[in-house]
């Protein structure tokens, strides 16, 4: 169970969770109703306070939950839950109300936050929406400020990723199209140019 490996990530290091460009799972909850969906268009926006953007189309069930609650979570699914990730994105909760339960994803919540989290992810982040009505209505673009973050210490600890030391199933997912994903590749370290970050 990934909860056993969760460690808190300092908010000033959250951008490093997103810098790898992985596919994310977005979840939200409002008045007992929740949903989870994958999104490929998400990225870090600012360092301190940590901010990120994510594109959520107006047709998605998750979006009004975000808008009403003012919060959303982003998670980085790994190769071990690729099928569950694709299941969560293959159908809308509008069309299949039990899509989350049918996806096979195992869920949990963190104290103080009602939105569902998915087991088997490399990282979990909670964001408070910074309202930007024009961006949201015109571009479906949401900006969030991170208020809490955790990572699986097998792949991220002390502010750094270390996929090369982790089981291959812990690699993050990078979606292309048509059910086709890539996982994180081999590291290349260049010494002597940049100071250690």
């Amino acid at each position: 169970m990934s909860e056993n490996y969760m460690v808190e990530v300092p908010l000033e290091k959250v951008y490093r969770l997103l810098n790898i460009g992985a596919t994310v799972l977005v979840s939200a909850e409002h008045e007992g109703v929740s949903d989870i969906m994958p999104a490929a268009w998400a990225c870090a926006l600012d360092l301190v306070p940590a901010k990120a953007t994510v594109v959520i189309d107006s047709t998605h069930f998750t979006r009004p939950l975000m808008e009403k609650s003012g919060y959303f979570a982003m998670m980085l699914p790994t190769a071990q839950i690729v099928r569950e990730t694709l299941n969560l994105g293959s159908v809308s909760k509008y069309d299949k109300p039990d899509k989350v339960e049918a996806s096979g994803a195992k869920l949990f919540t963190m104290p103080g936050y009602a939105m569902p989290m998915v087991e088997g992810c490399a990282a979990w982040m909670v964001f408070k929406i910074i309202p930007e009505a024009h961006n949201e209505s015109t571009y479906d673009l949401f900006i969030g400020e991170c208020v809490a973050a955790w990572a699986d210490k097998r792949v991220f600890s002390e502010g750094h990723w270390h996929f090369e030391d982790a089981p291959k199933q812990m690699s993050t997912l990078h979606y292309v199209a048509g059910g086709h994903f890539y996982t994180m590749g081999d590291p290349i370290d260049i010494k002597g140019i940049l100071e250690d970050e």
Side-chain angles (χ1 to χ4, degrees), residues 2-197:
S2 52
E3 287 178 85
N4 298 331
Y5 296 99
M6 289 177 75
V7 292
E8 193 167 351
V9 175
L11 296 182
E12 66 271 16
K13 301 296 185 186
V14 165
Y15 76 95
R16 292 185 179 177
L17 298 176
L18 295 167
N19 266 0
I20 58 175
T23 296
V24 300
L25 289 172
V26 177
S27 73
E29 185 275 345
H30 181 66
E31 295 184 348
V33 178
S34 62
D35 193 25
I36 309 168
M37 59 167 284
W41 295 356
C43 69
L45 177 65
D46 204 353
L47 301 179
V48 180
K51 297 186 189 76
T53 61
V54 64
V55 175
I56 305 292
D57 189 86
S58 60
T59 61
H60 291 297
F61 191 96
T62 308
R63 179 163 166 168
L65 300 176
M66 294 169 56
E67 293 170 327
K68 291 172 184 174
S69 69
Y71 287 84
F72 64 94
M74 284 202 301
M75 298 152 273
L76 304 184
T78 62
Q80 65 184 327
I81 59 165
V82 64
R83 184 169 296 278
E84 292 88 339
T85 299
L86 197 56
N87 285 342
L88 287 166
S90 64
V91 65
S92 171
K93 195 165 179 172
Y94 285 122
D95 300 319
K96 187 174 182 179
D98 67 340
K99 83 154 201 181
V100 175
E101 295 80 3
S103 72
K106 295 178 181 175
L107 310 179
F108 65 97
T109 56
M110 291 300 289
Y113 302 103
M115 67 280 292
M117 303 289 188
V118 179
E119 282 189 33
C121 289
W124 304 261
M125 297 156 276
V126 176
F127 291 88
K128 181 178 181 179
I129 293 173
I130 299 172
E132 291 285 352
H134 174 71
N135 287 343
E136 293 161 13
S137 63
T138 305
Y139 305 112
D140 300 318
L141 179 72
F142 286 80
I143 299 172
E145 179 179 330
C146 191
V147 296
W150 306 267
D152 188 312
K153 64 184 179 183
R154 292 174 291 179
V155 288
F156 187 92
S157 60
E158 298 181 6
H160 293 279
W161 288 108
H162 44 87
F163 291 105
E164 64 272 25
D165 300 322
K168 195 66 176 168
Q169 66 182 13
M170 293 300 300
S171 179
T172 51
L173 299 173
H174 302 259
Y175 189 62
V176 181
H180 183 66
F181 293 86
Y182 283 98
T183 54
M184 183 60 70
D186 296 325
I188 300 175
D189 290 314
I190 308 300
K191 304 295 184 186
I193 296 176
L194 301 175
E195 291 184 21
D196 183 65
E197 297 180 339

